[in-house]
Amino acid sequence: IEPPRGLIFTLRPPFAGQPPKLMPLEGTGGLFRGPTKHTSDMHAFFPMVPTGDIRTWYLAIANQRFQRGPNVQYDTESIIYKWTAGSVNPGCVKPDFDCGALQEIQRLPTYGACDFESFTVGDVSYMALASATDEVLSHQPVRIYSLNMSVAATGKGYFLSLHHLIQIPEARSITPFYINGDVYLAVAQWRGSGALGHDAHSPIYRWDPSGLDGRGNFTLLQTLATSGARRWRHLAVRHASDGVPIHTRHYLAVANHYSNSV
């Protein structure tokens, strides 16, 4: 049985009186194969690149499980792709498309992967991964990976390397955000410490540049009561007086699955 395919679209600009339209990329650039049978998240990101080549972007595929039913397997692989622009796609003949292709550069062993999110600290790029399952008493830490851009350029070695772990029971998603130059991470904790309880205290972390012998890591800042938290969102609202900005207020919103509340 052929595995499912993921599809990449491009936005065709207005042409000959026709409105803009989403079109699948031609040839191999539009389709990529892989164990995406139960993909829970796709995250496109532009890491900090020393050369400033903004055409190089990446796609992280979080595969939560491999099979449904009584024999569910959460022990699977998540995949990182690199977009290579230009003439690598022989099937692309239309000049108004970016004739490139997604090329697999790394497979990560994951268990119940739910959400990839990228963030930067200074000129260093990182990736965070949240994982959760339906297994009783499952504990899957949040994984923080560092990105090696020299590997992305040469293809030798690992693009993502494990930087450190955040030990919590399980998380459905993570949300990095920035306030006054500091990096924070809001974790939507899916379950608590009990067997089936989803009432938990979702943690907020702040990046400590002095942690891990100067390599930096997230340290706990605060916890907030949630009930089956699925997603945090960060909002920054700039307040002004007579049209002159005076300050910015930051807000966090959380969606709770079991209390039907935000």
Side-chain angles (χ1 to χ4, degrees):
I1 299 176
E2 183 178 286
R5 299 176 179 182
L7 189 59
I8 301 298
F9 293 87
T10 187
L11 182 63
R12 186 189 68 185
F15 178 75
Q18 299 296 317
K21 184 178 181 180
L22 283 173
M23 300 286 292
L25 289 179
E26 299 282 325
T28 58
L31 299 172
F32 54 95
R33 301 170 183 267
T36 59
K37 189 173 183 180
H38 301 293
T39 297
S40 59
D41 180 67
M42 295 171 58
H43 176 64
F45 59 102
F46 292 83
M48 297 289 291
V49 182
T51 61
D53 183 8
I54 62 173
R55 299 189 69 190
T56 302
W57 60 275
Y58 299 81
L59 187 68
I61 306 293
N63 291 315
Q64 187 186 32
R65 49 186 166 180
F66 185 72
Q67 182 180 353
R68 290 188 185 274
N71 298 316
V72 171
Q73 294 178 272
Y74 291 101
D75 189 4
T76 181
E77 292 179 320
S78 294
I79 309 177
I80 310 299
Y81 293 90
K82 176 184 178 181
W83 178 261
T84 303
S87 59
V88 297
N89 183 352
C92 183
V93 296
K94 296 184 179 181
D96 55 342
F97 289 127
D98 184 354
C99 298
L102 283 168
Q103 298 180 337
E104 179 183 318
I105 61 172
Q106 187 173 355
R107 293 192 173 214
L108 289 172
T110 54
Y111 196 93
C114 287
D115 184 30
F116 275 113
E117 296 292 340
S118 58
F119 63 95
T120 59
V121 179
D123 59 354
V124 181
S125 297
Y126 296 89
M127 181 76 74
L129 172 62
S131 303
T133 71
D134 294 325
E135 297 175 331
V136 176
L137 296 179
S138 175
H139 285 71
Q140 297 302 318
V142 171
R143 290 169 169 80
I144 307 298
Y145 297 92
S146 59
L147 275 62
N148 189 334
M149 299 312 302
S150 63
V151 170
T154 64
K156 299 179 180 180
Y158 292 105
F159 179 51
L160 296 185
S161 298
L162 184 64
H163 184 71
H164 77 102
L165 300 175
I166 299 176
Q167 298 292 345
I168 65 169
E170 285 191 329
R172 286 288 178 180
S173 65
I174 62 272
T175 302
F177 60 98
Y178 305 86
I179 300 177
N180 298 328
D182 290 325
V183 184
Y184 297 83
L185 188 72
V187 177
Q189 188 165 318
W190 177 240
R191 68 173 81 239
S193 58
L196 297 174
H198 289 274
D199 290 334
H201 288 82
S202 290
I204 311 296
Y205 295 90
R206 181 168 55 193
W207 185 265
D208 178 7
S210 64
L212 292 181
D213 297 324
R215 293 184 294 129
N217 69 331
F218 281 112
T219 58
L220 182 63
L221 177 67
Q222 184 179 355
T223 60
L224 297 168
T226 54
S227 182
R230 297 193 70 93
R231 173 71 68 178
W232 288 96
R233 290 297 186 192
H234 169 249
L235 304 91
V237 179
R238 178 172 292 183
H239 296 263
S241 176
D242 296 326
V244 179
I246 53 176
H247 66 269
T248 300
R249 285 190 175 180
H250 296 265
Y251 302 87
L252 279 176
V254 62
N256 290 299
H257 181 80
Y258 283 97
S259 65
N260 293 321
S261 66
V262 174

